[in-house]
Amino acid sequence: MTADVSQHLAGLDALELSGRERRGLASRVWARAWPMISAIILVLAIWELVVLSGWRPEYVLPGPGTVLADLGHRLGDGEFYAAVAVTMRRAVIGFAIAVLTGLVVGAAVSRVRPLRAAFGSLITGLQTMPSIAWFPLAILLFKLSESAILFVVVLGAAPSIANGLIAGVDYTPPILLRAGHILGLRRLALYRHVILPASLPSFLSGLKQGWAFAWRSLMAGELLVIIAHQTSIGEQLDNARELSDAPGLLATMIVILVIGIVVDMVFGAADNALRRRWGLDQRVG
Amino acid sequence: MTADVSQHLAGLDALELSGRERRGLASRVWARAWPMISAIILVLAIWELVVLSGWRPEYVLPGPGTVLADLGHRLGDGEFYAAVAVTMRRAVIGFAIAVLTGLVVGAAVSRVRPLRAAFGSLITGLQTMPSIAWFPLAILLFKLSESAILFVVVLGAAPSIANGLIAGVDYTPPILLRAGHILGLRRLALYRHVILPASLPSFLSGLKQGWAFAWRSLMAGELLVIIAHQTSIGEQLDNARELSDAPGLLATMIVILVIGIVVDMVFGAADNALRRRWGLDQRVG
Amino acid sequence: GGDGGSSGGEAAKTEVRLGFFPNITHSTALVGVKKGFFAKALGSNVTLKTATFNAGPAATEAIFSDAIDATYIGPNPAINAWSKSKGQAIKIIAGAASGGVFLVVKPEINDVADLKGKKIATPQLGNTQDVALRYWLQEKGLKTDTKGGGDVSIVPQENAQTLQTFATGDIDGAWVPEPFASRLVLESKGKILLNESDLWPGNKFVITHLIVRQQFLKEHPDLVKKLIEAHVESTAYINSDPAGAKEAINAELQDLSGKPLKPEVLESAFKNIAFTNDPIASSLVGSADHAVKVGLLDPVDLNGIYDLKILNEVLAAKGEQAVADR
Amino acid sequence: MTAPTKELRSGRIDGREPAVRLDAVSKVYGRELLALDRVTLSVARGEFVCLLGASGCGKSTLLNLVAGLDRATAGTIDTGGARIAMMFQEPALFPWLTVSANIELALRVTSTGAGTTRKQRRARAAELLETVHLGDFGGKRPHELSGGMRQRVALARALAQDADVLLMDEPFGALDAMTRDLLHDELERIWRERGLSVLFVTHNVREAVRLGDRVVLLSSRPGTVIEDYKITLDRPRRTDSGEVTGQAATITDRLKQEVLRHARRAPAASGPDAATGTTPSGGER
Amino acid sequence: MTAPTKELRSGRIDGREPAVRLDAVSKVYGRELLALDRVTLSVARGEFVCLLGASGCGKSTLLNLVAGLDRATAGTIDTGGARIAMMFQEPALFPWLTVSANIELALRVTSTGAGTTRKQRRARAAELLETVHLGDFGGKRPHELSGGMRQRVALARALAQDADVLLMDEPFGALDAMTRDLLHDELERIWRERGLSVLFVTHNVREAVRLGDRVVLLSSRPGTVIEDYKITLDRPRRTDSGEVTGQAATITDRLKQEVLRHARRAPAASGPDAATGTTPSGGER
Ligand SMILES: Nc1ncnc2c1ncn2[C@@H]1O[C@H](COP(=O)(O)OP(=O)(O)OP(=O)(O)O)[C@@H](O)[C@H]1O
Ligand SMILES: Nc1ncnc2c1ncn2[C@@H]1O[C@H](COP(=O)(O)OP(=O)(O)OP(=O)(O)O)[C@@H](O)[C@H]1O
Ligand SMILES: [Mg+2]
Ligand SMILES: [Mg+2]
């Protein structure tokens, strides 16, 4: 009899599973790339038109040609890469500390009910605190060191990250909690094997948001302490403004935008991969 | 026969629906309030201890007593309320424009595939652009008017809001789209009756995030154009820094924090109400 | 705000938009506005609209964007505005203030030699004070570089932050303008090691002057003249009635941003600044030269940055001595 | 495989005009997934046709084509301008609307309801809810109802469209046996009262026999009609009556044959992503 | 209401030791919702007991109490230290783990699996998957499987716990008829091979009769045992056999009586929020 059941099951299984094709990598990349390229061309064209119309003198609103030349000039200069490297290093380190902090705070706040009620709203409140308000405290704590910059970055990003984790924990499907409980998972084990992984998508979107905050805080924070032999993007942005260097400012903005887009794409790819693996492609949200 | 069916159905219906009680308002408020109050007391106590330890001189790190006195002094002053009113007015107007912008951009980008590929990542890229980078453009476009401040605020907040809407549209359950289609809803009607409402929860979380960006941009933007006889929170924060007025700075930070927390609570309440009404209390996320 | 529709067209202008900083080095403007010199000079047909800025870049942006017609500003932003616009955007039409910049250090520092290995703050990389410090140290044989290295570590940071870091001992000194110099001395027990005036011929160097949009100058020389008349009157008033001027300054500061200076700071700072109509052109050119020498600026041609014709007319009418543009 | 009968080809069934007529309809997904292969099928006016088949044989695809939610790759579908309503396995109610508002929306969009006032629509919605024995529940939100009640609301919404043809895609698949039995009675009553033509998709052989005038058996991969049983049992039928059980047994055997045919194919256990994007029905949330 | 039989009271059934014994167990939710009222019930070692009752009568509550997921308000529950596994209507698999990893996690946590190596666990998982005819699918993710396949994985996971008692809460409720029939055969086979004691909750009378040694009927509001049918039909049974149909008809009539009893109560259509928080099973996502 079992053989018969097994046959039937195999038949049903074969029917239920149908390979749906995914497009090839090349065609997916192309599908993403062409509208972007055309968008860039479109933006440049409009920009050039505005400049050509003579609405504002070139020294106020330089054309794309000038700006791209300036950018090209920068790209040919070792200092530019050093600045990007310094800023990215700070961003990454600050973000990493923020992730750790966010994880610890988020985990504590999400699981301990009184902590939750006590600090839940405070965390979001902190998110609205402008970086500049932290400067005195940063210097008080860390003097004129890079740590002061990182402190500002962490305070900017950690609340979002903690909030992402808290939201994830909150919306962990109770059925999974019960399944974990039945399996004998308790406390830390339950946290590690069920709650944390279940919170991952929400945590990821917290990370993405945290990055934006971290980056903006960093741009402000890099003016806080200027460290020997280290030029940075935030400083370059400020210098360009200070020197009324419109092409330089726009070139730096393009650099920031490109970094922002690239990072967004990385997060987007991670998010997509996660959703695909988990079959979360369609969720009620 | 129908009468019989109807009886049975009524019986089943009665069984399926069970009133689950909700706690009274007073007890809910109390449950939220007490851990907060104890958290505040705790924070103040730790702060006082640090100050008492003599780690840093009072004029650098004043104690809670000094700061609260300063705050009390401000609260007794009409100018404080004027500043809060100016800043809140800007925040609300800027946020409202950002919501409109975010809605329009989000709607366009989410529904038109090439726009999506073209500008999707750009929107998040914009989120990482520090407010200071927009200042020259703001002045160029709006001269020295309050509009320049609002421009910075809108550019800060609109990307988050648009992203929230886009995410909401993306995760609109396809079954609802099909149901709408079957009902004869097409294009705009489908958008209005199905897609927009279905995106509401995600849109709401975009709003919440957008507020944080709007607020931070505003704090920076209020230094961009100082409009005579209109003092604002951003300016007070900066003044306190300029004057090395540590108690003033901390008092202003407390004000910012309180506003942030109150706004968060408003969003939180809206979110909860929505989830309760929609039965989204437990979702996979 | 300057959202009025007047963008400097040919039509009769009914509004002049003047920018300045709520700052003691901009006292000429503070007093002129408070005492109504500008309003009076412009007459009843033309209204004065003022805009206040926290720093040079915003003022430059506003001039570039046609959001203001004239502004009081420091030498650096003026040079930047001139060089970035290839001499098209602005003209310096009058001087306003001179001096008032000091090197304030910790009490235990007694001379240049003690500065070795120390951290000194300046307000902004490449600004006048920053250049002056670097040039001075270079003259004294101490090496610096733009990234905070060398014999003396120069840390550009906002003046407000300098107050804090000096108080907490994170920096050993600062080359800053008033009122920060006085505040460092009065509030944080700093010691004045050097008055920048001592480095300049005649103990004079420009700290604030008045610039206009070139287009505005071209189209409305009459208004520019009225502006300069008021400016000259204000300067005269400050010099003739310091007590009244100080009162006006603090009243205007209170009005504008609610942050008057403490009496002792006002007293000390005011005394250290000279208010003059002379833009002290030599110091501007000299400062630019120094900037080139310490490697912070590509050589710029400052020829034509001044247009002092109207100022000299006004001064002549008052029987005062003309000023030179080089 | 049996060839379509002469009657089917002519499109007339028992001399009645067809309400829906599919002629050699094929549907290809992607590049080569042949979901339907030259399906020819008619539903006469007032006829109740059940479409039976194993998972993935293309039943939903066929219904979607008839409903106009998707386009056939080849062949013609003729509904003679009839109004078409559809029900899914999920109730697909709009969670942001009350039960009554869900139905009112359908009334408003439907051509016949175009000129009606709000009040009229409300009254009509109440009537329709009465029809499905939910007169008291108009003010509730969908999530406050049980699964069975929600499906009845979905039925009422479909009826609100005043359609001639009702397409049902496993509408009772997620309900418990007792509720399902009751809804069978309800559906039969409404079908008869309104003279609807119904095309009803199900996995459940008994359900098909319980309800259908005809039971059409679809094969899998590619989907084609392999049997067309006429069910002549007297109505009302009972699902657990001997006759229904007997007829069901015959059809079940035929279906099992079909399933077994697929057991011989290797199950599609290729790459980890092979089946990505499929959402087999049931058991997921 | 029938009083518990003498045999039940003594806790011995047919002279076999009970694996699970509930003695006058009551459960009150909130302040006054009496979900279970002095339920006394035993499951003998190796016995298959089906718990049948209309919606909301407390079946899940009872199972949760036995599983230790919740605490009884009164009465005692004695499982004699037996290991307990549980299956739900949803598969409740962890979407971030492959099918095999889901089972390995269960093996790892279970006391008997404590000392095993990774490799051993993997081998054991493969065996268990073979038991449910899913040997080829260990590397897939849960969402890539059909509903029926996922439930089989859930069964394998439950078996991995090497439990003595298996609690099942409508495990096949969401599956189609054909798959369900097959899984009945599978479950019966595994139950017999392993000598499990099973407490199986269902809405479906036929299913209860198909599987159970006993069918215990629960009343609603409050939940109490009203009937305890002994099913003596020979195994293997067929769901659509005459005997099963006959027995089922008797029980169904009794169940309908119970449902009708509730039709007389006014349906709970009070405030719009009255039923907030209930999540009736089925049909929702
Ligand atoms: N949008 C789509 N793109 C690609 N393939 C699809 C799509 N929709 C359905 N298919 C495939 O077409 C076949 C028929 O699917 P369909 O949903 O019509 O089956 P079904 O009979 O309704 O199955 P079930 O009983 O599981 O609901 C399946 O192999 C399915 O995987
Ligand atoms: N956590 C809870 N808080 C309050 N009431 C609850 C809770 N869980 C269940 N109930 C109520 O207790 C009663 C029994 O619920 P239970 O889920 O055990 O019923 P059930 O027989 O499993 O129903 P179904 O057949 O719908 O699964 C219901 O009235 C339900 O609303
Ligand atoms: Mg289907
Ligand atoms: Mg239940």
Side-chain angles (χ1 to χ4, degrees), chain B residues 217-251:
Chain B
S217 302
L218 181 60
M219 289 297 106
E222 290 197 321
L223 305 180
L224 172 66
V225 183
I226 295 164
I227 292 171
H229 308 294
Q230 295 207 342
T231 171
S232 61
I233 297 182
E235 216 190 310
Q236 291 196 343
L237 188 73
D238 195 57
N239 279 352
R241 257 193 91 214
E242 290 264 327
L243 298 175
S244 303
D245 174 10
L249 181 71
L250 285 164

Side-chain angles (χ1 to χ4, degrees), chain D residues 1 17 22 24 31 50-51 55 70 95 98 110 129 135 164 170 220 232 238 246 254 262 265 269 271:
Chain D
M1 273 180 239
E17 278 296 316
L22 286 83
R31 281 200 212 116
C50 290
L51 209 58
S55 291
D70 206 344
T98 62
T110 305
L129 282 174
D164 311 305
E170 306 186 45
S220 308
T232 50
R238 282 195 54 196
R254 181 71 188 84
H262 286 273
R265 297 189 328 153

